[in-house]
Amino acid sequence: MTLKSIPAGYKIAIATFALVLIDQVVKMLVHFNLEPPTIYGHDSIRVFPWFDLCYVENPGFAFGMQLGGDGAVWGKLFLSLFRLVMIGALIYGIRYLLKKGSEVPKGVIVGAVLILAGAIGNLIDSMFYGLLLDSQDGGFLMGRVIDMIHLPLFKWENCPDFLSFLVGHDGYFFGAVFNVADAYISCAVVYLLIFQYKFLNKSGF
């Protein structure tokens, strides 16, 4: 059997599994090699002047935002269920794109697979980390996502208020701490919007 003879659906399943595995391995390496976060802050290693490796447990979604405020059970459940629904929609969408065949650019499929892998990676955190990790005690669907990548690129002294979420407490852009799954999703969305805009617009997305 050659690589070309493998059905596209199987290739996508293998690629998705590999991407999710990378995300989970990185999170476990961080969990077992850095100190869990406390009320006083989080463990951090300065790898480069523009790159810190951290250990942050994020109870919400992007930039640590939470539905319903800190500790809201319904918000956490809604977020977990939303991720589950989004994964189902992505799988359906990828199957639909595959049926359209060669008229769909390969880059669109790659972008969709990256978003799918990112969503699955973060869903695993929220589903099981509350049950399995000693640093968490949230129960099923109540786990916190492990974030570890911080890119303090430059000081932004006069950041406009509407962009303040991009600046950390130390005044550096980019202030958010994120993980590999988040990087999959962010890179894919930016790529699709910039390089696949014509296809998405023609397809009604």
Side-chain angles (χ1 to χ4, degrees):
M1 177 181 290
T2 63
L3 186 60
K4 289 185 178 180
S5 65
I6 300 176
Y10 286 107
K11 292 179 183 177
I12 287 173
I14 293 170
T16 303
F17 176 81
L19 290 167
V20 172
L21 182 62
I22 292 170
D23 171 68
Q24 291 298 308
V25 167
V26 171
K27 288 171 178 173
M28 289 299 97
L29 287 173
V30 168
H31 174 73
F32 288 110
N33 289 282
L34 295 180
E35 290 297 321
T38 68
I39 58 174
Y40 303 106
H42 56 262
D43 201 0
S44 177
I45 299 174
R46 175 58 56 90
V47 181
F48 300 107
W50 47 268
F51 173 49
D52 294 337
L53 185 64
C54 307
Y55 185 172
V56 175
E57 291 182 345
N58 179 0
F61 52 107
F63 310 112
M65 293 183 288
Q66 300 178 58
L67 294 174
D70 187 23
V73 174
W74 72 266
K76 184 62 180 172
L77 287 174
F78 178 85
L79 180 59
S80 296
L81 293 174
F82 173 78
R83 286 178 175 139
L84 190 59
V85 171
M86 187 174 76
I87 288 169
L90 284 166
I91 293 173
Y92 175 84
I94 291 171
R95 286 171 57 89
Y96 171 77
L97 292 173
L98 289 177
K99 289 179 180 179
K100 298 187 73 172
S102 58
E103 65 180 281
V104 179
K106 290 183 179 179
V108 173
I109 301 294
V110 171
V113 170
L114 283 169
I115 296 173
L116 175 63
I120 292 174
N122 284 335
L123 178 64
I124 290 173
D125 295 23
S126 62
M127 287 181 70
F128 301 115
Y129 283 11
L131 295 171
L132 301 177
L133 301 187
D134 294 337
S135 62
Q136 300 189 26
D137 186 21
F140 183 65
L141 287 178
M142 298 297 292
R144 296 187 292 275
V145 174
I146 293 179
D147 293 335
M148 76 292 295
I149 303 170
H150 180 224
L151 303 176
L153 300 178
F154 58 86
K155 285 276 190 178
W156 196 350
E157 303 291 349
N158 299 308
C159 175
D161 290 340
F162 69 95
L163 292 177
S164 60
F165 66 94
L166 294 175
V167 179
H169 61 84
D170 53 2
Y172 275 95
F173 174 92
F174 177 71
V177 180
F178 58 99
N179 58 41
V180 176
D182 296 332
Y184 292 159
I185 296 171
S186 300
C187 291
V189 169
V190 171
Y191 166 77
L192 290 172
L193 291 176
I194 294 176
F195 296 102
Q196 301 296 340
Y197 170 77
K198 289 183 179 180
F199 174 82
L200 296 176
N201 188 49
K202 182 178 69 175
S203 301
F205 288 99

